[in-house]
Amino acid sequence: MDLCVFGVDDGYAEAIIRGLRASFLSEAQYQQMKNCASIPELKSFLEETDYQNCLQADNPQIPTSILRQRLKKKLADEFEYIEAQSTGTLTKYLFHLRCRFMIDNVVNMIEGLKNKIDIEILLSNIDPLGWFPEIKNIKVLEGDDYSSLYRDVLIDTPIGVYFMKFLEESIENLHENRTLNDIQNLFREMKPEYIRTSLKKMWLEDFYSFCESELMATSQEVLLELLKFEADFKTIQVIYNSIGNRDLNTAAKIITTRKQLCPTIGNLYPDCEKLYLQAMTLDTLREAVKGCDNYRDLLKDAPDPLKREEFNVQTKTLDDIMYDDECRRYALAFDGQGSYGVFYAYLKLKEQEIRNIIWLAEMISRKLAKNHPGWKKIIIPFSHLGK
Amino acid sequence: MSLFRSEQMEYYNLVIPRESAWDVMNTLGYFDSVHIIDYDATLPQINRPFSNYVKRCDDVMQKIEQIEAEMRNFKIEKRYCPDVIDLLKKRNGSHKQFEELEQDICKVADDLEHQQQTLTSLQEKKNTIRENLEVLRNAVAFQNEDSEEASLLGFQKMVGVILKEDELRFKRIIFRITKGNIHVEIMDIQEHFIQQDRRSVQKCVFMLFYPCGDLTQKKILRVIDSFSCNKFDIPTSSEQHAQRITMLENQLIEADQLLHLTITQINKRLQDLVEVKYNCSWIEEMRILITKEKYLYMNLNMLNMTNSVFHGQIWLPQGQDQKIQQALRNLHGNDKQLPSGQIQEQQTQLTPPTYYKLNSFTYPFQEIVNTYGIPRYKEINPGLSTIITFPFLVGVMFGDVGHGLLLFVCGLYLTTEDARKSIFSGLVPMRYMILLIGFFACYNGLIYNDFLSIGLNLFGSCYNLVDGEYEIQEDCVYKFGIDPAWGSSANQLTFMNSFKMKLAVIIGVTHMTFGIILKGFNTIHFNNYIDFFCEFIPQFLLLICSFGYMDFLLFLKWCTKFEDTKDAPSVITTMIDMVLRPFDVPEKPLFESGEQQRSIQLLLLTIIAFCIPVMLITKPLIFSLNKKNHPYQQIPSQIPDDDANQEQLQNDMQKDQSQPHSKVSIQQHNEHDDIGELIVHQSIETIEFVLGSVSNTASYLRLWALSLAHSQLAEVFFSMTIASHIGEGGFFGTIGSIIQFPGFALATFGVLMCMDLMECFLHALRLQWVEFQSKFYKADGYMFKAYSFTNIKSNEQDD
């Protein structure tokens, strides 16, 4: 039924997205990019692709950070255009998508301020997709007082809700008779990466419930499936990264932290929760997630986190494996009809493309030999479909 | 007869040494007749020898665009170039010219940018002064009453300027950070500020009163800082205050003057740039020259460079080679040292491009044909006959003297110089077509005797009105078209319908027969006698014996006088009986005797029955026989030969992917080998033609339907609006018709002149493409693309 009426409100936005499908770089183009000998050459190559207009004003020796910023700006412009063309639920939905980038921006700002990086540099590095007017006011942050940061600045922002929940949860976890000092200590020890992971977890759960309650059946079907996998990936990542983590010395602490960071949605939750929370080695983790055979395959190739010292550029890390699998899912979702999944997939795939370009730009600027394994470490969107 | 068949093309090898590459290309650009073949269309631009030059041209173009954007900001108009070629010839330099131009433009652009920066910094300075001034002025209001009191109570104040759009957020954060222990006053600044990016923004002055305390102050400072706004001090005493204000006011005046001066400077500079040197503004001249430079290098990039010599293949229309060779020889007239380019004729199996010399009269008609498909090389171009048939078909449907005249006048207007500048400039390329459509609509209107739905009694009707009844005069024929007396008869519609229907079929059959005859000429031209005897002859006979015979019957019936119209035989019944009951003697013969008619019809049927199998099986039969007749011993010697040919073709094709026809010819090659496919193909063609001859003839009835619709619409509009008032006459009739006239005029213009004309146009297009062109037109050629500087344009539409 909803396929009949999908076009009424969202047909135009979907059509634009479908048109943008042509802007993805092809495998042949990646091949040509790999053959570029220097950054100016790469830039002039990109000027022959869809990225033409956003790079023209820069000088040929463009630093990768600015290149990334330009590419992201283009994506943000496209997204903004689609947002402007959308109505009703789709607008809300697209805004939800933005929140993920806002979280990233806020955490990056906090991290930067903690490391005493100049605010101008921080502002120039924020992801244009997650821009909101309050972002520059994060400067108000004093020391590690996140609660006042929330109270003063973030309360009005779209991600204020997540931040509030995060603060509540972290304070609740303290023992009964907590003092102000305890809270300050807690904040001081908190790593920005931890804030990011928990905020994103909340966002994911919130987005999931949004999709569940407000979207039409087809969109739900596609998106919930995608989000479940994303949640599972996140869970696996959290567990994987916490294996052998020296900061979390006691087993009890590991489990509480894990519990806090793992999303409460997905295929693994709640059936496998108990198992994976207690997984202390890669093998037990493999055992924990074997219920879904796909995950088992994923982890089969993953390197052991306990031997982190042995990692080098050649190692195909868990992230790489996951990106690869996700990319395939998003490409499938993109080619589906009449669902909001296409917008989500577009963002994700474009992000992947930007990651690829930046990666190649790094490889090129470091003048690595062409037989270096790093050259193969890009994941080309839609390349899975042809096979 | 260059429009009838495309120009004879010759294939040349172009060799240019690198030193004179620019000069040779520059010379060739003025000839309108070189088609350069891209040696590898898949090669990205960046890997080509002159890609850096193209890039540089792009960069310079960008600079020019920046300057032009600046001009638009200052509302300075530039003059476009009326004659690009003339300008290019005057400014014809050498390849070093580009460097000079590049330097010139960069210098101008840099200067301009520098001035821009000065302007921005001045603007910023002025903004700061103004902000300060506003703060002080607004502060005066609080100076006297509140602030004294406040400072006594231990309050401090802080003033500054923020963006108006940040106001609410600012207030909120301030409130939260101090838990409401602060008083915020906001005063809008009326006049807008102009930002660096030329946006005008509104700002407002804020004034904070807060209780003393380091902590609060620090927090507030942080917030203010995060809003990136300016903070100002306020002098304590009112005297100082007044002093500061006057000082700032003076500064403001100074800054304003400086600003003004800079703007005038920039303006003057830009004015210099639009000065006319040859025949257009300097900046436009630069634009054209750089465009030419880029165009030249882009085309040079299509050639293959080996050992500092450029090799390339080009197509030339026959007879141009002498001129080009002459020009190349004269290239370095005095200096014999420098080598110049050469062209050598070559044999090739590639299909040449299709090239016609067009003028503004033939252009729109050729465009109609090209939209369907580019004619195959050397095939008869339907564009030639289209010049008359197309407007005529539209005219048949749009037949009305009044409307036709209107259209003719419109066409005449479009041919004038004024029309180019008016809003109708888009129609100017179609002016001759509109003129012809108007003419033929008029002509057909005279035949239908229809002037805005009223008959014209031009030559004196052959009927006399006696006691309300029409009586026909003896031996009288109305000179041209339909007798106007029909207009007032009761069976006018029946009569006109029958007439127009017959006319439509006659025109249709003639049009299609013409198409088939063109096919015959094509087969003779290409020496394809199998097609001539197995396709053209049977197709021609089939159409003539079926619908040609029907047309003949129509004329015969028109020429026969029937005493009682009830005795007249129906042509449709005759045709149906001819097929269904061929051996019966017709009841109402059109010929002198039924027997005679029966034998003629039997003869025609026999011919038709003979034609269909000829079309169906002879061609495959001949091909298969040909194959069998070849002794098998010959085949081995032929196969390598064939393969070599194909290989060559494939190589050529790989070299030149922009020409899909070479692929087609290979496919055709394979196709002909395969008898099975040929049989299928031939049977489809045959069935299509036989069924098509019926359905296509029926399709021509749209001529009748649309002309009926047109006349009926015209009549309705006329009778619903002014007809009754005109009939009434007198004073009230005049007033009434004056009031009703706009309605009539608007309906005539909107519905008939615009919508109906468009509809007639589209239907004529269909008849042209489907019914006519399907009879003979292969349309698998590709366009001749001249490398010529005339492609460089200078006007608003140029992009």
Side-chain angles (χ1 to χ4, degrees):
Chain A
M1 175 59 200
D2 56 325
L3 278 180
C4 309
V5 292
F6 181 82
V8 178
D9 285 331
D10 310 322
Y12 184 53
E14 197 202 2
I16 299 168
I17 280 275
R18 293 257 170 262
L20 288 171
R21 165 77 156 84
S23 72
F24 282 101
L25 298 176
S26 68
E27 265 176 88
Q29 282 173 313
Y30 276 108
Q31 206 51 49
Q32 285 174 333
M33 243 185 332
K34 284 181 192 170
N35 290 336
C36 291
S38 61
I39 291 289
E41 207 172 302
L42 179 74
K43 180 176 174 275
S44 55
F45 171 78
L46 285 175
E47 276 172 18
E48 279 186 39
T49 64
D50 204 45
Y51 290 106
Q52 184 181 21
N53 295 332
C54 61
L55 292 172
Q56 249 168 12
D58 292 294
N59 75 3
Q61 270 298 350
I62 184 168
T64 34
S65 61
I66 298 197
L67 180 67
R68 187 208 313 268
Q69 213 52 26
R70 295 278 181 278
L71 302 183
K72 282 195 170 168
K73 181 83 182 80
K74 176 172 177 283
L75 177 59
D77 286 347
E78 281 162 3
F79 193 75
E80 208 163 285
Y81 179 71
I82 292 162
E83 224 178 356
Q85 303 294 343
S86 65
T87 52
T89 325
L90 184 59
T91 318
K92 272 197 234 163
Y93 167 81
L94 293 177
F95 190 74
H96 260 278
L97 291 185
R98 254 175 201 269
C99 286
R100 187 161 59 93
F101 299 94
M102 293 184 188
I103 291 172
D104 269 331
N105 279 344
V106 168
V107 178
N108 285 345
M109 287 290 281
I110 291 173
E111 200 175 2
L113 285 172
K114 270 189 153 181
N115 295 336
K116 307 263 186 295
I117 296 171
D118 189 45
I119 183 95
E120 288 303 319
I121 299 174
L122 287 176
L123 282 176
S124 68
N125 272 336
I126 59 172
D127 190 336
L129 264 172
W131 189 87
F132 55 99
E134 283 88 353
I135 192 121
K136 52 185 181 186
N137 300 125
I138 292 182
K139 207 183 163 190
V140 177
L141 176 73
E142 257 178 289
D144 299 310
D145 194 359
Y146 298 127
S147 56
S148 77
L149 175 70
Y150 163 70
R151 208 175 47 230
D152 297 336
V153 182
L154 294 176
I155 189 163
D156 290 331
T157 61
I159 64 164
V161 196
Y162 309 128
F163 213 82
M164 184 184 73
K165 252 200 242 163
F166 162 70
L167 290 175
E168 273 173 5
E169 262 179 36
S170 34
I171 291 172
E172 251 171 43
N173 279 340
L174 288 177
H175 43 85
E176 284 293 303
N177 42 0
R178 54 188 170 236
T179 61
L180 205 61
N181 254 345
D182 285 341
I183 296 176
Q184 266 172 6
N185 278 340
L186 174 77
F187 285 146
R188 194 170 308 129
E189 280 164 21
M190 206 173 272
K191 282 190 173 159
E193 211 46 45
Y194 176 77
I195 306 178
R196 191 197 309 269
T197 319
S198 38
L199 285 180
K200 281 216 177 149
K201 169 209 154 197
M202 281 166 211
W203 170 79
L204 195 64
E205 285 167 8
D206 185 49
F207 187 47
Y208 186 87
S209 65
F210 169 82
C211 292
E212 211 170 21
S213 57
E214 303 221 9
L215 300 190
M216 290 194 286
T218 320
S219 305
Q220 249 183 47
E221 200 183 312
V222 175
L223 275 165
L224 295 190
E225 195 64 17
L226 283 180
L227 291 178
K228 269 182 193 164
F229 278 112
E230 213 178 316
D232 291 341
F233 284 168
K234 203 137 268 175
T235 307
I236 294 174
Q237 244 165 348
V238 167
I239 307 293
Y240 182 86
N241 288 333
S242 63
I243 292 175
N245 192 329
R246 285 183 199 84
D247 295 341
L248 306 165
N249 28 25
T250 64
K253 200 169 176 190
I254 289 185
I255 290 174
T256 40
T257 322
R258 280 179 178 180
K259 204 167 175 164
Q260 237 183 14
L261 293 179
C262 291
T264 55
I265 47 172
N267 295 327
L268 293 173
Y269 182 86
D271 299 346
C272 311
E273 197 196 3
K274 217 169 183 169
L275 284 172
Y276 66 67
L277 282 181
Q278 281 167 353
M280 290 300 162
T281 60
L282 184 61
D283 285 328
T284 41
L285 176 60
R286 278 184 192 140
E287 194 63 23
V289 298
K290 72 172 179 191
C292 308
D293 56 348
N294 182 292
Y295 299 155
R296 197 161 158 193
D297 290 347
L298 280 181
L299 286 175
K300 201 169 70 192
D301 302 330
D304 197 329
L306 288 172
K307 296 172 192 155
R308 227 174 277 269
E309 288 77 19
E310 292 167 22
F311 286 14
N312 55 29
V313 216
Q314 291 185 22
T315 326
K316 199 169 182 189
T317 61
L318 182 68
D319 282 2
D320 293 331
I321 298 168
M322 284 184 170
Y323 278 144
D324 199 47
D325 196 57
E326 279 185 335
C327 203
R328 189 174 52 84
R329 288 180 203 282
Y330 294 135
L332 281 174
F334 189 95
D335 287 347
Q337 287 281 320
S339 92
Y340 285 174
V342 54
F343 301 101
Y344 190 68
Y346 177 73
L347 265 187
K348 285 279 189 181
L349 291 172
K350 270 286 170 186
E351 270 185 278
Q352 181 60 42
E353 188 176 286
I354 292 172
R355 255 198 306 270
N356 288 341
I357 296 173
I358 297 302
W359 176 260
L360 287 179
E362 288 285 350
M363 299 292 285
I364 290 167
S365 63
R366 285 182 196 172
K367 304 219 180 305
L368 292 177
K370 293 290 167 198
N371 53 7
H372 193 274
W375 290 103
K376 292 194 187 106
K377 249 184 145 182
I378 50 172
I379 301 147
I380 303 166
F382 299 109
S383 61
H384 305 273
L385 298 178
K387 285 159 197 167
Chain B
M1 270 232 269
S2 65
L3 198 60
F4 185 58
R5 290 188 198 279
S6 61
E7 299 267 335
Q8 181 79 38
M9 284 289 154
E10 279 160 4
Y11 190 68
Y12 282 90
N13 203 351
L14 177 69
V15 182
I16 318 173
R18 195 185 165 119
E19 306 90 70
S20 51
W22 192 92
D23 298 289
V24 171
M25 288 305 275
N26 188 37
T27 319
L28 292 181
Y30 291 108
F31 290 93
D32 205 359
S33 52
V34 183
H35 179 113
I36 300 177
I37 302 169
D38 195 349
Y39 79 101
D40 181 3
T42 53
L43 195 69
Q45 278 296 331
I46 185 161
N47 295 346
R48 295 182 184 238
F50 281 97
S51 64
N52 59 331
Y53 276 93
V54 176
K55 183 91 186 45
R56 268 165 71 188
C57 291
D58 277 339
D59 290 345
V60 178
M61 271 317 255
Q62 218 183 339
K63 289 252 158 75
I64 293 178
E65 254 146 48
Q66 275 171 13
I67 298 174
E68 286 185 346
E70 203 54 47
M71 285 179 174
R72 278 193 292 279
N73 274 329
F74 278 85
K75 299 206 166 48
I76 292 173
E77 297 266 326
K78 62 175 183 178
R79 225 184 95 185
Y80 290 101
C81 179
D83 189 350
V84 177
I85 291 294
D86 187 41
L87 175 80
L88 288 179
K89 277 185 180 154
K90 268 182 188 154
R91 291 293 314 255
N92 206 356
S94 68
H95 63 282
K96 286 174 195 113
Q97 190 190 15
F98 173 62
E99 256 110 76
E100 290 163 27
L101 296 179
E102 194 185 19
Q103 274 175 11
D104 282 0
I105 293 165
C106 286
K107 194 168 164 292
V108 169
D110 288 347
D111 280 1
L112 210 61
E113 209 183 315
H114 187 70
Q115 278 175 320
Q116 273 310 315
Q117 275 167 2
T118 326
L119 189 70
T120 341
S121 63
L122 278 173
Q123 192 85 46
E124 233 170 284
K125 205 171 139 199
K126 187 192 156 190
N127 281 351
T128 326
I129 296 172
R130 261 191 63 202
E131 279 177 10
N132 200 346
L133 199 60
E134 292 288 340
V135 165
L136 289 179
R137 277 181 192 154
N138 281 305
V140 174
F142 292 89
Q143 197 71 31
N144 305 328
E145 311 123 37
D146 299 344
S147 68
E148 306 250 318
E149 233 169 276
S151 59
L152 281 178
L153 284 170
F155 275 80
Q156 284 181 329
K157 64 173 180 256
M158 201 177 282
V159 280
V161 178
I162 51 165
L163 289 177
K164 179 76 183 157
E165 56 183 31
D166 283 340
E167 181 191 332
L168 204 64
R169 265 191 321 118
F170 181 74
K171 274 183 175 171
R172 244 191 242 149
I173 288 195
I174 290 287
F175 181 85
R176 286 208 202 98
I177 217 157
T178 57
K179 304 187 179 61
N181 283 328
I182 204 160
H183 178 70
V184 185
E185 281 289 339
I186 298 276
M187 285 142 295
D188 291 352
I189 299 172
Q190 291 304 324
E191 241 180 289
H192 286 217
F193 286 83
I194 294 165
Q195 292 274 76
Q196 279 182 355
D197 49 0
R198 296 231 170 82
R199 258 180 336 128
S200 104
V201 290
Q202 210 186 353
K203 292 187 173 179
C204 51
V205 176
F206 68 85
M207 195 173 278
L208 306 172
F209 297 95
Y210 57 96
C212 293
D214 265 358
L215 204 67
T216 353
Q217 192 173 8
K218 236 170 86 187
K219 270 189 183 167
I220 293 173
L221 279 176
R222 250 175 210 277
V223 171
I224 291 175
D225 204 27
S226 77
F227 275 95
S228 59
C229 59
N230 290 325
K231 193 167 71 65
F232 299 97
D233 301 328
I234 294 181
T236 38
S237 76
S238 53
E239 276 166 42
Q240 275 179 335
H241 198 121
Q243 259 180 8
R244 280 284 285 281
I245 288 188
T246 31
M247 197 183 81
L248 285 172
E249 269 168 356
N250 286 338
Q251 278 180 1
L252 186 65
I253 292 168
E254 231 169 76
D256 253 344
Q257 277 171 344
L258 260 173
L259 204 63
H260 193 74
L261 202 70
T262 322
I263 290 177
T264 357
Q265 267 177 0
I266 295 180
N267 203 352
K268 195 166 157 290
R269 210 181 165 85
L270 290 176
Q271 288 288 359
D272 286 347
L273 296 186
V274 293
E275 233 169 57
V276 178
K277 274 203 175 155
Y278 291 94
N279 54 6
C280 60
S281 299
W282 181 83
I283 189 80
E284 181 65 14
E285 189 183 317
M286 290 300 122
R287 232 173 75 92
I288 291 168
L289 290 177
I290 298 295
T291 318
K292 170 202 159 183
E293 220 54 49
K294 185 182 169 189
Y295 184 67
L296 193 152
Y297 284 122
M298 290 281 272
N299 278 285
L300 198 52
N301 270 342
M302 289 194 193
L303 306 180
N304 192 5
M305 188 177 78
T306 39
N307 302 332
S308 76
V309 174
F310 287 95
H311 290 278
Q313 272 70 41
I314 56 171
W315 288 109
L316 284 180
Q318 199 175 32
Q320 289 286 340
D321 52 333
Q322 290 299 325
K323 275 198 240 166
I324 285 176
Q325 265 164 357
Q326 184 68 32
L328 289 182
R329 239 174 276 139
N330 294 345
L331 187 62
H332 303 293
N334 309 322
D335 194 357
K336 294 284 180 212
Q337 298 289 319
L338 278 168
S340 70
Q342 284 176 347
I343 51 171
Q344 291 158 346
E345 186 159 8
Q346 267 196 334
Q347 290 301 314
T348 180
Q349 283 172 320
L350 290 176
T351 323
T354 312
Y355 175 48
Y356 300 106
K357 284 195 184 109
L358 294 177
N359 53 30
S360 52
F361 180 71
T362 50
Y363 166 76
F365 300 103
Q366 189 62 45
E367 200 60 13
I368 285 179
V369 172
N370 287 352
T371 312
Y372 178 86
I374 310 293
R376 180 184 278 190
Y377 177 64
K378 281 286 168 189
E379 138 178 81
I380 290 176
N381 176 19
L384 184 65
S385 60
T386 307
I387 293 173
I388 294 304
T389 54
F390 185 78
F392 182 76
L393 288 178
V394 181
V396 170
M397 292 183 266
F398 200 67
D400 187 307
V401 182
H403 297 144
L405 272 178
L406 269 176
L407 202 60
F408 192 74
V409 172
C410 289
L412 277 182
Y413 168 69
L414 287 176
T415 52
T416 61
E417 200 54 37
D418 287 349
R420 283 167 199 278
K421 289 164 199 144
S422 69
I423 51 164
F424 302 110
S425 56
L427 286 173
V428 166
M430 296 184 36
R431 56 196 185 276
Y432 295 113
M433 188 191 280
I434 291 175
L435 204 68
L436 277 180
I437 291 175
F439 171 75
F440 281 112
C442 240
Y443 171 78
N444 279 294
L446 281 174
I447 290 179
Y448 300 153
N449 207 342
D450 210 357
F451 181 91
L452 307 176
S453 80
I454 308 165
L456 292 172
N457 194 358
L458 290 175
F459 308 104
S461 174
C462 284
Y463 291 84
N464 291 331
L465 193 58
V466 181
D467 303 332
E469 291 271 322
Y470 282 100
E471 270 184 13
I472 189 162
Q473 292 172 5
E474 284 292 313
D475 287 337
C476 172
V477 177
Y478 193 69
K479 295 277 189 307
F480 189 84
I482 305 280
D483 195 304
W486 279 103
S488 40
S489 77
N491 61 350
Q492 179 227 6
L493 201 59
T494 331
F495 172 74
M496 284 306 280
N497 276 351
S498 134
F499 166 71
K500 282 179 179 173
M501 207 189 312
K502 285 166 184 165
L503 200 67
V505 174
I506 291 167
I507 290 172
V509 173
T510 320
H511 201 203
M512 287 190 292
T513 316
F514 178 55
I516 295 176
I517 290 172
L518 288 185
K519 178 178 190 153
F521 283 126
N522 262 344
T523 54
I524 294 170
H525 183 266
F526 289 117
N527 288 333
N528 195 345
Y529 291 104
I530 295 177
D531 274 4
F532 182 80
F533 289 111
C534 304
E535 282 191 357
F536 163 63
I537 298 277
Q539 281 181 359
F540 182 73
L541 286 178
L542 191 100
L543 196 69
I544 288 296
C545 296
S546 54
F547 292 99
Y549 175 64
M550 188 169 86
D551 280 2
F552 173 73
L553 289 184
L554 289 176
F555 281 110
L556 191 66
K557 194 179 165 186
W558 274 338
C559 297
T560 321
K561 191 170 182 182
F562 296 97
E563 289 308 323
D564 186 354
T565 46
K566 288 205 177 64
D567 285 344
S570 152
V571 176
I572 298 173
T573 324
T574 315
M575 286 303 291
I576 292 172
D577 283 350
M578 168 178 160
V579 182
L580 293 185
R581 294 185 292 160
F583 301 108
D584 293 4
V585 180
E587 286 163 26
K588 295 179 188 168
L590 263 164
F591 287 76
E592 274 164 26
S593 72
E595 277 294 321
Q596 194 186 359
Q597 186 171 339
R598 191 186 71 138
S599 43
I600 288 174
Q601 288 182 352
L602 268 177
L603 176 68
L604 294 177
L605 272 180
T606 324
I607 296 175
I608 291 173
F610 183 68
C611 281
I612 295 174
V614 169
M615 280 197 290
L616 195 62
I617 52 172
T618 27
K619 208 169 150 188
L621 210 62
I622 291 171
F623 272 100
S624 62
L625 282 179
N626 267 352
K627 223 180 175 189
K628 272 182 193 156
N629 285 341
H630 277 302
Y632 281 100
Q633 292 91 320
Q634 274 186 16
I635 290 175
S637 65
Q638 259 185 352
I639 280 178
D641 217 330
D642 240 40
D643 274 3
N645 270 348
Q646 286 212 1
E647 234 164 67
Q648 163 117 32
L649 268 176
Q650 253 156 358
N651 282 343
D652 285 339
M653 190 181 68
Q654 274 163 0
K655 271 184 195 162
D656 183 2
Q657 300 233 342
S658 67
Q659 298 166 8
H661 52 276
S662 48
K663 213 180 197 168
V664 169
S665 61
I666 289 180
Q667 277 169 357
Q668 278 174 349
H669 207 83
N670 293 336
E671 209 171 42
H672 285 277
D673 289 343
D674 197 350
I675 297 293
E677 249 177 63
L678 186 70
I679 292 171
V680 173
H681 183 75
Q682 193 63 25
S683 51
I684 289 173
E685 290 256 295
T686 311
I687 292 168
E688 195 184 298
F689 183 82
V690 176
L691 294 183
S693 62
V694 182
S695 67
N696 288 357
T697 313
S699 182
Y700 275 94
L701 288 177
R702 71 187 68 233
L703 292 175
W704 155 57
L706 280 176
S707 120
L708 171 73
H710 181 89
S711 64
Q712 289 299 302
L713 276 175
E715 197 176 329
V716 166
F717 291 141
F718 182 64
S719 61
M720 296 289 276
T721 52
I722 50 177
S724 59
H725 296 289
I726 290 175
E728 188 184 335
F731 179 70
F732 291 107
T734 317
I735 296 293
S737 46
I738 287 173
I739 292 169
Q740 296 271 13
F741 181 75
F744 173 70
L746 281 178
T748 304
F749 174 75
V751 179
L752 291 172
M753 296 301 291
C754 293
M755 278 158 58
D756 195 49
L757 179 64
M758 171 69 96
E759 206 179 346
C760 293
F761 186 91
L762 292 178
H763 280 276
L765 213 56
R766 186 219 140 95
L767 289 179
Q768 163 80 23
W769 283 346
V770 181
E771 272 76 30
F772 176 59
Q773 292 185 359
S774 68
K775 295 286 179 292
F776 67 101
Y777 188 39
K778 296 278 190 278
D780 54 1
Y782 69 104
M783 257 314 196
F784 175 85
K785 274 203 211 85
Y787 161 65
S788 154
F789 292 146
T790 43
N791 294 342
I792 302 168
K793 297 270 166 13
S794 163
N795 53 29
E796 287 94 323
Q797 283 111 36
D798 175 31
D799 245 328

